[in-house]
Amino acid sequence: MSTATEQTRSGAGDRADRDTHFEVEQFYYEEAALLDDGRYADWLELLADDLDYWMPTRTNRLRRQQALSVAARGEAAFYDETRESLAWRIRRFDSGMAWAEDPPSRTRHLVTNVMVRYADPAEHDGFTEHDLWVRSAFLVYRNRLEREENVFAGSRTDLLRRTGDGRLQVARRTILLDQNILQAKNISTFF
């Protein structure tokens, strides 16, 4: 019987080893700090060139219709972005033309319940066993002006790709909010 210290890297779809898990958690903490500090250009460096960043809407459904509660691709989404479109949004913040973020929001991104598995190329076209499938929970607090406060809770499912120099980058991100109706006046926060 092997002990935790004897565990080695497993195959596609298997849970990641603890060093990889720790690396992913640190990656997410760094990402949260960049977003909270408003260092969006640095945050973009954590995103792959072929990024797919998607936050579908959701509706309340009866138990027997839960499969229909989350919008499918091509249906309504809060975000359906690429790295290029996110870069455009960030340039707009810096232009002074993004009135929804002038003055800028203050945010706090909390990431928890991180589960890391080696990507299964059979399930994720274009990815290898060296890439990672990660699911996490988040809580994002946003404060703007004197009285605007928002709390966003939900989950993210990511595919992280290793670059040639071994760094991690987000290649696919699906964000699912627990809320189906947002009370926020706008949604200019990144998740």
Side-chain angles (χ1 to χ4, degrees):
M1 183 177 290
S2 67
T3 65
T5 57
E6 296 171 341
Q7 287 181 349
T8 59
R9 188 183 183 293
S10 301
D14 289 342
R15 196 168 41 177
D17 62 82
R18 77 176 139 209
D19 289 340
T20 302
H21 192 278
F22 179 77
E23 177 187 16
V24 169
E25 286 182 325
Q26 295 305 304
F27 175 83
Y28 282 147
Y29 300 156
E30 175 70 20
E31 179 186 25
L34 291 173
L35 290 171
D36 292 340
D37 293 344
R39 295 174 52 199
Y40 302 119
D42 293 333
W43 174 64
L44 278 175
E45 296 304 312
L46 302 180
L47 309 178
D49 289 339
D50 64 340
L51 173 73
D52 178 37
Y53 186 91
W54 184 52
M55 182 192 291
T57 59
R58 66 187 314 170
T59 57
N60 290 329
R61 299 284 184 150
L62 298 173
R63 285 188 190 276
R64 67 179 177 269
Q65 297 176 320
Q66 282 302 298
L68 302 173
S69 67
V70 176
R73 284 289 183 167
E75 296 179 352
F78 293 114
Y79 287 105
D80 190 357
E81 306 284 343
T82 64
R83 186 178 192 276
E84 186 177 311
S85 66
L86 290 174
W88 179 84
R89 285 178 182 264
I90 290 167
R91 284 191 304 273
R92 191 164 172 264
F93 285 166
D94 294 336
S95 74
M97 299 302 290
W99 62 267
E101 279 301 315
D102 196 11
S105 298
R106 291 176 296 279
T107 62
R108 185 65 52 209
H109 289 72
L110 305 175
V111 181
T112 187
N113 297 13
V114 178
M115 298 184 302
V116 183
R117 296 191 176 277
Y118 295 105
D120 186 345
E123 291 181 25
H124 306 289
D125 191 35
F127 291 87
T128 71
E129 290 182 22
H130 301 289
D131 300 319
L132 302 167
W133 175 93
V134 185
R135 182 166 180 196
S136 61
F138 67 83
L139 185 71
V140 176
Y141 169 82
R142 175 181 177 231
N143 178 281
R144 185 168 178 275
L145 302 173
E146 289 82 23
R147 293 186 177 91
E148 289 182 34
E149 284 187 312
N150 305 112
V151 176
F152 303 98
S155 65
R156 299 184 308 191
T157 303
D158 292 344
L159 281 167
L160 303 181
R161 181 182 294 132
R162 288 221 181 262
T163 62
D165 60 2
R167 292 181 305 115
L168 294 173
Q169 285 188 320
V170 179
R172 305 286 179 270
R173 173 164 287 169
T174 300
I175 306 151
L176 188 58
L177 290 175
D178 291 336
Q179 302 99 310
N180 67 333
I181 297 177
L182 299 183
Q183 302 297 318
K185 292 180 180 176
N186 62 51
I187 184 166
S188 54
T189 303
F190 300 119
F191 295 89

